[in-house]
């Protein structure tokens, strides 16, 4: 894991492969990146995980925020961080205030958010007055009293995480109060119907701050959202129930389930091929067929970063380069189904000759020519390009 102090950007940490799809993790008020300590390493096996600190929390400068701040201001800091890291589109998970930031991003900047997980958060946080009163108290008296009572607000009886309580006490009072201002002004009940990112809502069944009813309100408002209630969890579920939170997030961010992968497989390869593959499945090959549907088709081919046309070009190149000619024939047909013309297929194979070798391209041209001729014959005079 790498820690990055960034001056005018939120402090953040990065772990996981640089080439993996990015996942941003947002904190709760009063906590730091440490909130995700027991969850992030699991997520980082398949994601480039970026955890960020709220202004004045953890390693983030307090001056990133001021009195009268809004959740939109915090979302702007997250977008600036993503831009600085060269991240255009990202999955996002956030707790409480960090979840509110995620809701704002998905509603107001849908082109940036590929998938969303909302942990112990809300579309509103109980009205403005209580938050304005808390902000005034913190500006006047500091954070000692709030930090002392934090375990009762954050965890089920008898459980605590001393490092998170210490983070609360160490937060900058002015920045903490400005975050309270943001919560006071926040109400997204009329703004989430437009969210299209696949959304998971996690609720702590014993959470007094954002009880399960708040989670159900989000799930009802966001089309297609899934709701999971965690037994034995209060407000900081990633710290109290890390295994359950990890499992839920990994399943959500893994992409569509095998059923969705099968639909894409049929769209690209055709019903006839998939029907034959499924009919030929035996107990010995069943796990492999499930793996292909979930991984190749349910995760890779469904990733919106590349179009199906672009994926067909890459696949033709790879299969031709490695001499997988039976698979190449299958994917020449898939490439036509994905909109490539014979001329474009020829151009891909010609480039393969330059970078992967003439013999490989020669064999690939032979296969492609045969498949295209068969396709033309099958289409007949009325169906030719």
């Amino acid at each position: 894991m790498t820690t990055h102090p960034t001056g005018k950007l939120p402090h953040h940490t990065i772990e996981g492969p640089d080439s993996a799809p990015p996942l941003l993790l947002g904190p709760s008020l009063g906590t730091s990146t440490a909130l995700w300590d027991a969850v992030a390493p699991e997520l980082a096996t398949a994601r480039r995980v970026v955890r960020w600190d709220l202004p004045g929390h953890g390693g983030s400068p307090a001056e990133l925020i001021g009195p009268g701040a809004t959740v939109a201001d915090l979302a702007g800091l997250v977008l600036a961080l993503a831009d600085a890291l060269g991240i255009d589109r990202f999955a996002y998970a956030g707790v409480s205030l960090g979840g509110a930031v995620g809701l704002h991003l998905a509603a107001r900047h849908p082109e940036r958010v590929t998938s969303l997980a909302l942990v112990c958060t809300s579309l509103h946080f109980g009205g403005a007055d209580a938050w304005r009163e808390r902000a005034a108290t913190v500006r006047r008296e500091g954070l000692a009293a709030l930090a002392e009572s934090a375990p009762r607000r954050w965890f089920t009886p008898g459980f605590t995480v001393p490092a998170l309580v210490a983070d609360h006490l160490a937060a900058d009072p002015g920045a903490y109060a400005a975050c309270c201002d943001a919560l006071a002004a926040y109400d997204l009940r009329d703004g989430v119907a437009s969210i299209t990112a696949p959304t998971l809502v996690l609720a702590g069944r014993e959470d007094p701050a954002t009880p399960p009813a708040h989670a159900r309100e989000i799930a009802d408002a966001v089309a297609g959202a899934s709701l999971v209630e965690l037994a034995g969890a209060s407000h900081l579920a990633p710290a109290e129930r890390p295994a359950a939170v990890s499992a839920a997030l990994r399943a959500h961010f893994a992409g569509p389930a095998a059923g969705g992968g099968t639909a894409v497989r049929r769209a690209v390869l055709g019903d006839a091929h998939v029907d034959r593959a499924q009919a030929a499945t035996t107990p010995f090959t069943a796990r492999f067929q499930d793996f292909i549907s979930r991984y190749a088709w349910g995760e890779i081919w469904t990733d919106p970063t590349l179009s199906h046309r672009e994926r067909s070009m890459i696949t033709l190149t790879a299969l031709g380069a490695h001499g997988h000619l039976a698979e190449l024939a299958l994917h020449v047909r898939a490439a036509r189904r994905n909109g490539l013309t014979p001329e474009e297929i020829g151009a891909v194979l010609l480039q393969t000759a330059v970078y992967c070798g003439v013999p490989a391209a020669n064999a690939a041209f032979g296969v492609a020519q045969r498949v295209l001729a068969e396709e033309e014959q099958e289409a007949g005079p009325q169906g030719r390009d």
Side-chain angles (χ1 to χ4, degrees), residues 64-85:
L64 292 176
I65 200 172
T70 65
V71 168
D73 295 331
L74 296 171
L77 290 173
V78 172
L79 291 179
L81 174 60
D83 291 343
L85 296 175

Side-chain angles (χ1 to χ4, degrees), residues 249-269:
L249 294 185
R250 289 187 69 176
H252 177 62
F253 290 127
T262 299
V264 175
R265 189 181 186 187
R266 287 183 177 278
V268 174
L269 299 182

Side-chain angles (χ1 to χ4, degrees), residues 334-353:
R336 293 288 287 136
R337 200 172 283 110
N338 285 336
L340 269 70
T341 66
E343 291 75 17
E344 289 172 324
I345 292 172
V348 169
L349 298 181
L350 190 61
Q351 185 147 338
T352 302

Side-chain angles (χ1 to χ4, degrees), residues 13-366:
T13 64
I14 301 176
E15 53 204 304
D18 289 344
S19 60
L23 167 61
L24 274 59
L25 300 180
S28 171
L29 177 66
T31 70
S32 72
T33 57
L35 174 59
W36 293 100
D37 276 354
V39 174
E42 290 292 318
L43 300 178
T45 60
R47 291 273 170 172
R48 182 189 181 199
V49 174
V50 181
R51 299 187 245 173
W52 60 276
D53 277 329
L54 288 163
H57 294 62
S60 284
E63 59 267 22
L64 292 176
I65 200 172
T70 65
V71 168
D73 295 331
L74 296 171
L77 290 173
V78 172
L79 291 179
L81 174 60
D83 291 343
L85 296 175
I87 297 172
D88 181 32
R89 290 165 56 79
F90 50 84
Y92 185 94
V95 181
S96 194
L97 177 53
V101 171
L103 278 163
H104 180 94
L105 289 168
R108 303 290 188 251
H109 304 275
E111 73 285 355
R112 304 297 297 268
V113 180
T114 60
S115 189
L116 179 66
L118 305 165
V119 185
C120 301
T121 192
S122 183
L123 297 174
H124 56 96
F125 288 87
D129 291 345
W131 289 107
R132 289 178 181 141
E133 182 179 340
R134 183 185 291 196
T137 299
V138 169
R139 288 181 173 116
R140 184 175 62 251
E141 301 175 7
L143 284 162
L146 276 176
E148 183 179 354
S149 64
R152 296 193 297 275
R153 302 192 312 273
W154 285 353
F155 305 117
T156 58
F159 184 89
T160 190
V161 180
L164 291 177
V165 177
D167 279 338
H168 192 320
L169 184 60
D172 179 85
Y176 183 101
C179 288
C180 292
D181 292 340
L183 287 167
Y186 169 80
D187 189 333
L188 210 58
R189 280 174 284 190
D190 294 330
V192 294
S194 62
I195 290 178
T196 57
T199 300
L200 170 68
V201 187
L202 292 179
R205 199 167 287 169
E206 300 181 51
D207 180 2
T210 52
H214 286 229
R216 289 193 289 271
E217 186 176 23
I218 298 172
D220 288 342
V222 179
S226 300
L227 172 63
V228 175
E229 293 186 17
L230 302 175
S234 187
H235 192 53
L236 299 190
E240 189 163 14
R241 293 291 313 280
V245 172
S246 294
L249 294 185
R250 289 187 69 176
H252 177 62
F253 290 127
T262 299
V264 175
R265 189 181 186 187
R266 287 183 177 278
V268 174
L269 299 182
D271 288 332
H273 170 80
V274 177
D275 287 343
R276 285 194 301 271
Q278 291 180 340
T281 300
T282 68
F284 181 69
T285 63
R287 289 183 64 190
F288 178 72
Q289 288 296 321
D290 177 67
F291 167 77
I292 290 296
S293 291
R294 284 187 295 104
Y295 185 61
W297 298 105
E299 294 189 27
I300 303 303
W301 278 84
T302 55
D303 181 351
T305 307
L306 298 176
S307 69
H308 284 180
R309 276 177 51 86
E310 292 166 326
R311 292 191 183 280
S312 277
M313 292 186 218
I314 294 168
T315 303
L316 292 177
T317 302
L319 293 174
H322 286 274
H324 301 307
L325 300 183
E327 286 280 310
L328 178 66
L330 176 67
H331 277 276
V332 169
R333 289 184 177 273
R336 293 288 287 136
R337 200 172 283 110
N338 285 336
L340 269 70
T341 66
E343 291 75 17
E344 289 172 324
I345 292 172
V348 169
L349 298 181
L350 190 61
Q351 185 147 338
T352 302
V354 173
Y355 291 97
C356 303
V358 170
N362 184 50
F365 264 107

